[in-house]
Amino acid sequence: MAAMTALEHLSTPAALIDTARMARNITLMQARMNELGVKFRPHVKTSKCIEVVRAQVEAGASGICVSTLKEAEQFFAAGITDILYAVGMAPVKLPQAMALRRQGCHLKIITDSVEGATAIAAFGREHGEVFEVWIEIDTDGHRSGVKPEDVVLIDVGRALHDGGMQLGGVMTHAGESYSLNTPEALRAMAEQERSGCVHAAQRLRDAGLPCEVVSVGSTPTALAAQQLQGVTEVRAGVYVFFDLVMANIGVCKADDIALSVLTTVIGHQREKGWAIVDAGWMAMSRDRGTASQQHDYGYGQVCDAQGCVIEGVVMSSANQEHGIVSAADGSRADMSQRFPVGTQLRILPNHACATAAQFPQYHALQATGEAAEWPRFYGW
């Protein structure tokens, strides 16, 4: 059993998980997927933590999604076997992927080009390995993938199938949903994601190619989708913790955010209206994702030690190990009386994945008010 530590005895900065909020988030997403009649594959790059992933699987998740092969290795070693590596496969990584498969991992890889498909097929034939490969589809112009109507889609499918690989399906990620902030726009993006990926799958089938899996997903579209006809599974990651970017998008509220950074006030600049804390950008990350949204939280929203939002106060600036806590409106009220040296605060992150990545472990808050240490997988 993990050692328990009282909050006031934790060395700061420390990454905290509010386990009650996390459990609520997991239940919400899984219930939504059950209602829509699809499998749910959580993207575990957000937590990189087996305790978190076990909670997701126990709630009904089917398999996981990772962003590095190191993550795949670590989660496979922890007992998870159904894994999608959801980053385009670089040929240099094929030996690592093959080793995982030969150990019994049901690893799926992806590509979005004829060149990538040809390299995978050539390596597979040379080594007697039949990789399961999904084709990445671009349904929103946000990042990678083949457009659903692009003629190259069929070429990629044939390069895989005729090359002796298992063409497992198609997948897409509606990353452009992160730039939206109304229910109507999110619903429209979810439908665009669904219809585009389903159309790509049908084009492959019409060309005589197999396409069993149709995988879509992002946290905003997963929660906004009205129907998922033709989709077999959904992927989402940040929902397990949520963050301020998601709050700005409108898919959660501040009191749904399960991840925070515990920090301590270490000094003041009274004439500037600053309280200085021991959590800088090395703790919060450099991610300023809310700067381009309707509400800019600086480096994070300030809460008291119990996790209650302190209205009008944010981490406005950060150096490597120092954070500046000040009034959100720029006023220079003296913070020394409000937050004396030694005061513990919690900072809600802009981007949960980026903030979590700064820490080797979490401190999971229990109902007793104590925290259990949960290791976090590190490395690429």
Side-chain angles (χ1 to χ4, degrees), residues 6 36 96 108 142 146 154 178 263 322 367:
L36 290 168
Q96 190 178 2
K108 277 74 72 171
H142 180 75
V146 182
I154 308 303
Y178 280 47
T263 187
H322 296 75

Side-chain angles (χ1 to χ4, degrees), residues 187-257:
R187 285 194 293 268
M189 180 58 73
E191 176 55 23
Q192 178 178 319
E193 178 186 47
R194 181 206 70 83
S195 61
C197 204
V198 168
H199 179 57
Q202 192 57 51
R203 286 190 63 218
L204 289 167
R205 293 167 188 150
D206 290 345
L209 295 166
C211 187
E212 180 180 351
V213 175
V214 179
S215 178
V216 305
S218 73
T219 288
T221 55
L223 293 170
Q226 299 298 290
Q227 60 94 11
L228 289 173
Q229 184 177 358
V231 170
T232 62
E233 70 166 38
V234 169
R235 309 176 324 280
V238 74
Y239 82 96
V240 73
F241 292 154
F242 283 127
D243 54 29
L244 294 169
V245 166
M246 291 294 114
N248 268 335
I249 291 170
V251 296
C252 73
K253 294 182 170 59
D255 62 6
D256 295 318
I257 299 175

Side-chain angles (χ1 to χ4, degrees), residues 228-303:
L228 289 173
Q229 184 177 358
V231 170
T232 62
E233 70 166 38
V234 169
R235 309 176 324 280
V238 74
Y239 82 96
V240 73
F241 292 154
F242 283 127
D243 54 29
L244 294 169
V245 166
M246 291 294 114
N248 268 335
I249 291 170
V251 296
C252 73
K253 294 182 170 59
D255 62 6
D256 295 318
I257 299 175
L259 179 69
S260 62
V261 173
L262 184 70
T263 187
T264 305
V265 176
I266 58 173
H268 301 90
Q269 288 282 358
R270 290 175 176 82
E271 70 280 5
K272 296 178 180 178
W274 292 356
I276 301 174
V277 297
D278 63 355
W281 57 255
M282 283 292 287
M284 299 309 302
S285 88
R286 282 285 199 184
D287 196 302
R288 291 278 282 103
T290 63
S292 60
Q293 296 182 310
Q294 73 271 23
H295 190 143
D296 183 1
Y297 289 94
Y299 280 84
Q301 171 64 58
V302 176
C303 302

Side-chain angles (χ1 to χ4, degrees), residues 14-232:
L16 305 183
I17 295 176
D18 185 318
T19 55
R21 291 183 181 185
M22 183 189 79
R24 190 170 70 213
N25 297 340
I26 290 172
T27 298
L28 170 69
M29 181 64 81
Q30 190 63 54
R32 183 75 180 128
M33 296 304 100
N34 293 346
E35 179 185 349
L36 290 168
V38 294
K39 293 180 180 180
F40 180 59
R41 182 186 296 274
H43 204 318
V44 300
K45 70 172 182 178
T46 299
S47 71
K48 293 192 181 185
C49 176
I50 190 61
E51 285 82 359
V52 174
V53 173
R54 283 178 181 143
Q56 293 170 306
V57 171
E58 287 170 5
S62 179
I64 64 171
C65 181
V66 299
S67 59
T68 72
L69 287 176
K70 184 66 172 179
E71 291 171 13
E73 290 171 344
Q74 292 171 321
F75 280 106
F76 176 63
I80 307 292
T81 59
D82 181 357
I83 302 176
L84 169 66
Y85 171 44
V87 174
M89 174 53 67
V92 71
K93 298 178 185 178
L94 285 166
Q96 190 178 2
M98 181 175 67
L100 269 167
R101 288 177 59 84
R102 291 185 173 179
Q103 292 169 46
C105 180
H106 302 301
L107 181 72
K108 277 74 72 171
I109 61 178
I110 70 169
T111 190
D112 67 352
S113 70
V114 172
E115 294 86 350
T118 301
I120 293 167
F123 183 92
R125 288 195 306 274
E126 180 183 354
H127 294 88
E129 183 68 32
V130 179
F131 289 100
E132 180 175 347
V133 189
W134 299 2
I135 301 175
E136 185 170 10
I137 307 301
D138 177 8
T139 52
D140 63 355
H142 180 75
R143 195 165 59 195
S144 302
V146 182
K147 293 288 187 184
E149 284 289 355
D150 197 324
V151 294
V152 80
L153 172 65
I154 308 303
D155 296 334
V156 175
R158 286 197 174 119
L160 292 168
H161 184 65
D162 296 348
M165 300 301 102
Q166 179 186 350
L167 176 53
V170 291
M171 59 83 69
T172 190
H173 168 63
E176 197 60 24
S177 63
Y178 280 47
S179 67
L180 307 176
N181 61 14
T182 68
E184 297 77 15
L186 289 169
R187 285 194 293 268
M189 180 58 73
E191 176 55 23
Q192 178 178 319
E193 178 186 47
R194 181 206 70 83
S195 61
C197 204
V198 168
H199 179 57
Q202 192 57 51
R203 286 190 63 218
L204 289 167
R205 293 167 188 150
D206 290 345
L209 295 166
C211 187
E212 180 180 351
V213 175
V214 179
S215 178
V216 305
S218 73
T219 288
T221 55
L223 293 170
Q226 299 298 290
Q227 60 94 11
L228 289 173
Q229 184 177 358
V231 170
T232 62

